[in-house]
């Protein structure tokens, strides 16, 4: 089983659940090494991609709250979205 990502031209890229788990675990470890606290928000600004899904899932596995910010985000939108977050890294 896998997730299928579609690009702008209609091309498909498969992301297996094993690859998602491995990528998410790398993200989780990195966040915990940087002392992510349970319930802490983590802004994610990536296009819909393998990296996005691995980061999003890694934040959840680390106990954080993923906050997707879709590029290209304008500065005003970033201030509104991230204004209440206490980013530490």
């Amino acid at each position: 089983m896998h997730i299928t990502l579609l690009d702008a031209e209609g091309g498909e890229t498969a992301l297996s659940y094993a690859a998602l788990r491995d990528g998410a675990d790398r993200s989780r470890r990195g966040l915990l090494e940087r002392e992510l606290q349970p319930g802490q928000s983590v802004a994610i600004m990536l296009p819909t991609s393998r990296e996005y899904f691995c980061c999003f899932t890694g934040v959840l596995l680390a106990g954080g709250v993923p906050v997707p910010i879709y590029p290209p985000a304008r500065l005003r939108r970033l201030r509104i979205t991230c204004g209440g977050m206490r980013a530490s890294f």
Side-chain angles (χ1 to χ4, degrees), residues 45-65:
M45 185 186 289
L46 292 169
T48 303
S49 62
R50 171 192 180 108
E51 292 77 16
Y52 172 83
F53 285 103
C54 290
C55 287
F56 188 96
T57 306
V59 171
L60 293 173
L61 291 174
V65 178

Side-chain angles (χ1 to χ4, degrees), residues 1-81:
M1 301 191 81
H2 63 271
I3 297 170
T4 300
L5 303 171
L6 301 176
D7 63 27
E9 292 79 37
E12 296 182 357
T13 301
L15 174 60
S16 71
Y17 289 124
L20 174 61
R21 183 194 62 234
D22 292 344
D25 193 52
R26 281 191 300 277
S27 293
R28 177 193 64 81
R29 286 193 314 268
L31 290 165
L32 294 177
E33 287 171 4
R34 290 166 182 80
E35 300 180 358
L36 178 75
Q37 299 301 306
Q40 187 174 9
S41 298
V42 178
I44 302 171
M45 185 186 289
L46 292 169
T48 303
S49 62
R50 171 192 180 108
E51 292 77 16
Y52 172 83
F53 285 103
C54 290
C55 287
F56 188 96
T57 306
V59 171
L60 293 173
L61 291 174
V65 178
V67 179
I69 301 172
Y70 295 100
R74 301 208 189 303
L75 184 57
R76 183 174 184 277
R77 172 56 47 198
L78 289 173
R79 286 184 181 138
I80 291 168
T81 303

